[in-house]
Amino acid sequence: MAEPQHGVSSTDVKKIARLARLHVEDSQCGAIAADLNGILAWIEQLAEVDVEGVEPMTSAVAMKAPMRADVVTTGGIRDLILANAPKSDDGFFVVPRSVE
Amino acid sequence: MFIAPRVADKKDWLSGETGDWELIIGLEVHAQIASKSKLFSGASTEFGAAPNTQVALVDAGLPGMLPVVNEFCVEQAVRTGLGLNAQINKFSRFDRKNYFYVDLPQGYQISQFEFPVVGEGEIEITPEDGEPVIVGIERLHLEQDAGKSVHDLSPDETYVDLNRSGVALMEIVSKPDMRSAAEASAYVDALRQIVRALGTCDGDMEKGNLRADVNVSVRRPGGELGTRCEIKNVNSLRFIRQAIHYEARRHIEILEAGGEIDQETRLFDNVKGETRTMRSKEDAHDYRYFPDPDLLPLELTDEFIAKIKADLPELPEARKARFVEQYGVPAYDAGVLTADKATGDYFEALAAGRDAKIASNWMMGELFGALNNAELGLADSPISAEALGGLIDRISDKTISGKIAKDVFGKMLAGEGTADTIIERDGLKQVTDMGAIEGFVDEVIAANPDQVEKAKQNPKLLGFFVGQVMKKSQGKANPKAVNDLLRSKLGL
């Protein structure tokens, strides 16, 4: 299998992991990069298909978005909303301090 | 990416140690759509509810929940686009903008990146003390608002309320077409008036329903564009001007000292009147947009757009021009009277079939003054246009004088009834019966022989006699008749 044209490096893996808030050990980065490159190379086979004059497919189903009327149909379910919160107080979610 | 061909008026150039500088400003305005429910859920958007009581499962980012777009919100985006003379895109798509923050439960904001619902447009603005300027609109797209973080309820924790999470916003992006703080604030004001006239957003900046991200850079007049900084979430016209002034000076100082501007996001501190760095991580802007797989593309039909176009109201600029033309009011007054839809509607109801000049004087003078004192908006006015019109009619047909009318107005304000009711009840009808007026005049002359002699030497004393007669008639005598009679009887 050929190497993908725009390969993923260990640095890319580190960066993507950080953006996704995933902890990846430095020692794992090389292996993950190799796996990702394998997937990308496989997908790049699609580049062989001639798509001249074909509109980009934006969805797997040929239909447009169904729309909803502007009416209030839910709310007042605070206990349910907060049910899984590790901590809540006075109706709020409570999380570690996060201020810019 | 951007070009900025227009060079600022010389009066707007900023002088530095090493020469003149020119300001380049572009704005991203977030306008909350005036919908009852959220962009992708059926939870209410009502302001001020108890925390987390207006949250649907989808707004809380719970797994397995699917968003369904609110048709009304799409209509409002199109309506606003038409009001901005902009291109409406029949095909648009929702994308995920990925970032982590405590008030963003999904871990991404649903927005429109590559294909916004509205494309390029333009509006005309008139800055204070300046010539009209055309400001280009780059795009308008639909997106979700985030929840609210409260940092002052606990010293080491943040409290999160998701009531605002998922509320529909229109982000309106301008081209970098503004060259002074006055132009930027006039632009936001014009947008505010347009969305209010269209009814697509209430434009309430205090509640944060309309807020601006301000992009500022400086360059040598007509020269190469400089590096810009973005000042986030500025929520008043005054703060927008202050933030721009501060930021422009900061850039000039750095550049003149040989430094470079870092492209960054800054916050405006409205207490100190300064901006400061908000985000320092260089990859904070790496949002990794991709099409939201939960949502199908938005495809609008010609009928959908035509229907919205058909009931587009008259916009403020057009209405202002019509007021000057049709009612003959000065441009400044026309601007005040068309500042929002309700004010314009009130004036038109009041001026219908009446002298427009008198109508505008009463509305802008007495009515606005009284409402201002009572800290009331026009919507809460105790006097309707119809009622105020009834009062003006009694002046026009000379039932009461303008002076008495002001007293009647005060009583109407206090809720004592219509002009006719009050005039009748208090017997305020102007006395036009010449016999009765002559009686008052004779009584006053007879009671003041000394003054009569003096008046013959000094005609200015006529005022004293007029005052006495008006007092006797309890203000009801026709002032012109009193003057005429006194002049002839005193031989003045």
Side-chain angles (χ1 to χ4, degrees), chain B residues 7 121 129 137 244 259 261 275 287 334 377 398 414 421-422 435 450 491-492:
Chain B
V7 178
D129 307 322
I137 304 294
I244 292 170
I261 306 293
T275 66
Y287 294 126
K398 300 193 164 52
T421 314
I422 295 165
D450 295 353
L492 298 174

Side-chain angles (χ1 to χ4, degrees), chain A residues 15 18-19 21 58-59 61 65 67-68 70 72-74 76 78 87 89 91-95 97-98 100, chain B residues 36-38 41-42 51-53 68-71 100-101 151 155-160 278 283 286 296-297:
Chain A
K15 184 183 173 187
R18 186 173 64 248
L19 288 170
R21 301 289 193 276
T58 48
S59 162
V61 277
M67 297 205 243
R68 189 172 54 76
D70 183 31
V72 175
T73 54
T74 184
R78 179 154 78 189
K87 187 172 179 189
D89 180 31
F92 289 91
F93 289 92
V94 178
V95 299
R97 189 162 181 82
S98 167
E100 297 252 16
Chain B
K36 293 190 188 73
S37 64
K38 296 182 181 179
S41 86
N52 292 309
T53 54
V68 182
V69 71
N70 181 334
E71 183 169 19
F100 289 102
Y101 198 65
H151 303 292
D156 47 11
E157 288 160 319
T158 294
Y159 279 49
V160 180
M278 180 179 172
D283 56 14
D286 192 343
L296 288 159

Side-chain angles (χ1 to χ4, degrees), chain B residues 358-369:
Chain B
I358 295 175
S360 72
N361 283 345
W362 272 88
M363 191 170 160
M364 293 175 60
E366 299 301 316
L367 183 67
F368 284 0

Side-chain angles (χ1 to χ4, degrees), chain A residues 23-99:
Chain A
H23 180 73
V24 177
E25 296 293 344
D26 285 346
S27 59
Q28 297 174 292
C29 285
I32 293 174
D35 284 351
L36 288 173
N37 283 327
I39 295 168
L40 287 172
W42 182 74
I43 289 171
E44 275 199 358
Q45 294 179 69
L46 288 171
E48 291 167 19
V49 182
D50 180 9
V51 290
E52 190 65 32
V54 179
E55 288 216 1
M57 190 175 84
T58 48
S59 162
V61 277
M63 59 186 285
K64 55 183 184 173
M67 297 205 243
R68 189 172 54 76
D70 183 31
V71 281
V72 175
T73 54
T74 184
I77 49 167
R78 179 154 78 189
D79 291 347
L80 203 55
I81 294 295
L82 294 173
N84 294 316
K87 187 172 179 189
S88 66
D89 180 31
D90 208 16
F92 289 91
F93 289 92
V94 178
V95 299
R97 189 162 181 82
S98 167
V99 65

